[in-house]
Amino acid sequence: MSRKINIALGFDKNYLPYAGTTIKSILETNKENEIHFYIMIDNSINIIDIFFLKRMIEKSDKSVEFINMKKRFKNLDTNGWSIAMYYPLVLSSLCNDEKVLFLDSDIIVTGDLTELYNTNLEGYLCGAVRDYGLITYINNNSKAKIHNNKQMSICKYFTDIRKWNKEDLKKYCNSGMLLFNLNEMRKNNTEKQMLKVIKEGALMFPDQDCINICCQEKIKILPMQYNFQIMVPNIYNGIYENDKIEYTSWLSSTETLPLIIHYLAKPWKETQEIHFRKLYYQYKNKTIWKFHIDKILRKKLLRLKFSEKESYLYILNKKILHFGKTNSEASSLHF
C-alpha cells in the first residue's frame, strides 16, 4: 500500500488560520506518510503567511507547492461565498498526479490517511461522503440564496431547477472532502464540463452543486467517517434515522474518532457547545495562529453600542460600562 499522498487545499486570507489548523492536524497524525501539499491561494495571502505555512510543512519533512489562483474564475457568480470555493474544480489541470485528496479548511484529520487515499476509484471520477444534513433543510422548507442573491426554497431549487428526485438527493455529496481520480477526470474532460456549469450560473451551493451535477453517476460514496460533518442540533435532529444512528455511534465512541472531522458548525463561531471543539483547539493551539480571534467572535467579545443619549460597553454580551451623555459629552460613568 502506497504511503505517498497528495493533498490540496484552497483558501483566502480569511480562512488562513483555519487552513493552518487543518494542515497542522495532518502533519501531527501522518508523520510516517510521504505527503505533498498543493496550496491554492490568491494575493490576499502575503509572503509572510506563505513563509509560516511553508516552514510548518517542511519542518515535518513534507513538501509543498503554492499555486497562485488570482487570474482564475474572474467575473463568476459566487452567490456570496469566497471565490476560493471553485479552486478544487481545476485540480486535474493543476496537478500531474493520478490522484489528489482535496480538503476544506474547516477540517481536522485525526489519523492515518493511507487507507482513504488508496481507495480504489477505478471507473469513478471521485470519492465523497453524502451531505446527510441536506434532507433537514429540504424537509424544513429552508431557503437559501441563489443567482443574484435571490432567496429560494432549497426543496424547490432541487426539484424544479435541478430536476432531482429523492433518490438523487440521497446521493448528493458534500464537497468538504473530495478524493479525485485525476486520470479519469482528464479522460472525461470533467473540468471543462464543470467550468461550463459554473458559467451558466443559477447554482445554490455553487462548487458542491457543480461537482454533483457533473460527477453524479461517477461518485463513489464513501463512509461517514471520511467526512464527519459536525452540525448544530436542529440540523442533526432532522437527518435520516439510519444516518442519525451511525452519527450518534461515532459521537459516543470512546475508542475511535472519525478520520476527518468537518466543522459545518464552526468551533470559532458557534456560541452553543458543538462536538469535538476541544479537539479542534488542540491542533489550532499548536500553530502560529493560536491567538487569532475570528472577527465575528471578536465582536461578541468586545462591543460598543452608541445612541444619542448614552453608550454602553459590552464584554461577552454583558453590559460592563455605561457612559451617560449630556450635550454630546460624557457626564457619568456607571459600573
Side-chain angles (χ1 to χ4, degrees):
M1 184 178 287
S2 173
R3 301 192 73 89
K4 185 179 186 304
I5 301 174
N6 300 303
I7 298 177
L9 294 93
F11 51 89
D12 57 23
K13 68 175 182 179
N14 294 321
Y15 258 71
L16 171 66
Y18 318 123
T21 303
T22 301
I23 294 168
K24 186 63 176 177
S25 72
I26 296 168
L27 299 175
E28 290 278 312
T29 55
N30 286 263
K31 293 179 180 180
E32 302 302 316
N33 292 328
E34 180 187 348
I35 297 179
H36 180 73
F37 287 95
Y38 292 98
I39 308 294
M40 299 174 285
I41 56 175
D42 60 17
N43 285 0
S44 68
I45 308 291
N46 61 45
I47 192 168
I48 297 174
D49 295 325
I50 292 173
F51 168 79
F52 284 124
L53 285 168
K54 189 172 189 292
R55 187 177 71 168
M56 180 173 68
I57 291 168
E58 292 182 346
K59 277 180 67 177
S60 296
D61 295 322
K62 315 301 181 190
S63 58
V64 60
E65 182 177 337
F66 291 92
I67 305 171
N68 194 318
M69 306 293 286
K70 179 187 175 183
K71 295 182 180 180
R72 293 181 179 263
F73 306 114
K74 287 185 175 180
N75 304 316
L76 286 180
D77 179 30
T78 63
N79 201 19
W81 305 90
S82 167
I83 199 74
M85 69 178 171
Y86 291 134
Y87 293 174
L89 305 184
V90 294
L91 280 167
S92 61
S93 62
L94 292 177
C95 309
N96 293 322
D97 309 282
E98 295 181 1
K99 186 186 287 186
V100 68
L101 174 64
F102 172 80
L103 297 175
D104 267 351
S105 298
D106 51 359
I107 272 173
I108 60 169
V109 172
T110 69
D112 190 340
L113 289 167
T114 307
E115 185 175 346
L116 166 61
Y117 192 78
N118 285 286
T119 298
N120 184 353
L121 290 180
E122 185 177 354
Y124 293 97
L125 294 169
C126 69
V129 176
R130 291 186 303 106
D131 192 322
Y132 39 83
L134 180 66
I135 189 63
T136 302
Y137 292 108
I138 290 172
N139 289 340
N140 289 349
N141 200 29
S142 301
K143 293 183 178 181
K145 289 189 294 185
I146 195 170
H147 187 60
N148 293 328
N149 290 325
K150 293 179 180 178
Q151 289 283 329
M152 183 179 187
S153 160
I154 296 175
C155 181
K156 187 176 179 65
Y157 165 75
F158 280 110
T159 56
D160 293 2
I161 296 181
R162 297 274 72 91
K163 307 296 183 185
W164 287 358
N165 57 37
K166 286 186 177 180
E167 292 306 308
D168 294 326
L169 289 170
K170 285 181 180 179
K171 296 182 287 184
Y172 182 87
C173 291
N174 183 277
S175 61
M177 184 287 298
L178 296 164
L179 183 60
F180 284 121
N181 182 345
L182 299 179
N183 282 345
E184 191 73 13
M185 293 180 77
R186 295 184 195 106
K187 187 168 68 175
N188 286 268
N189 211 8
T190 306
E191 183 176 313
K192 184 177 180 180
Q193 295 172 36
M194 291 194 293
L195 293 176
K196 182 175 182 292
V197 168
I198 291 172
K199 289 174 182 176
E200 289 172 352
L203 299 171
M204 185 167 280
F205 309 107
D207 61 318
Q208 192 162 276
D209 288 350
C210 182
I211 289 163
N212 279 277
I213 291 166
C214 296
C215 305
Q216 189 178 25
E217 300 304 319
K218 287 192 171 186
I219 298 177
K220 186 168 188 174
I221 305 299
L222 299 179
M224 183 183 287
Q225 65 149 325
Y226 291 150
N227 183 357
F228 191 78
Q229 298 149 45
I230 302 298
M231 302 170 286
V232 293
N234 63 318
I235 303 300
Y236 155 76
N237 290 335
I239 66 178
Y240 289 115
E241 195 59 36
N242 57 331
D243 289 330
K244 192 181 294 185
I245 292 169
E246 183 179 357
Y247 190 89
T248 304
S249 70
W250 279 109
L251 293 178
S252 59
S253 174
T254 56
E255 298 180 0
T256 309
L257 289 167
L259 180 64
I260 294 175
I261 299 175
H262 184 189
Y263 294 89
L264 300 183
K266 310 305 182 204
W268 59 88
K269 285 186 180 180
E270 300 297 332
T271 54
Q272 58 187 307
E273 186 55 43
I274 62 169
H275 297 290
F276 301 123
R277 175 184 265 129
K278 288 182 180 179
L279 182 62
Y280 181 86
Y281 279 97
Q282 285 178 24
Y283 290 113
K284 188 172 187 289
N285 290 341
K286 292 181 180 181
T287 73
I288 195 170
W289 300 280
K290 64 181 176 180
F291 296 120
H292 168 269
I293 300 175
D294 182 87
K295 62 182 180 181
I296 294 176
L297 179 58
R298 189 160 56 241
K299 286 180 180 178
K300 292 178 180 177
L301 288 174
L302 183 65
R303 181 166 56 93
L304 282 169
K305 184 177 180 181
F306 298 98
S307 70
E308 292 183 3
K309 295 182 178 180
E310 51 197 357
S311 302
Y312 303 93
L313 170 66
Y314 291 85
I315 297 178
L316 291 174
N317 281 330
K318 184 178 180 181
K319 190 191 299 180
I320 302 298
L321 297 177
H322 169 210
F323 301 87
K325 289 185 178 180
T326 304
N327 296 327
S328 301
E329 295 182 358
S331 60
S332 61
L333 178 62
H334 305 286
F335 289 86

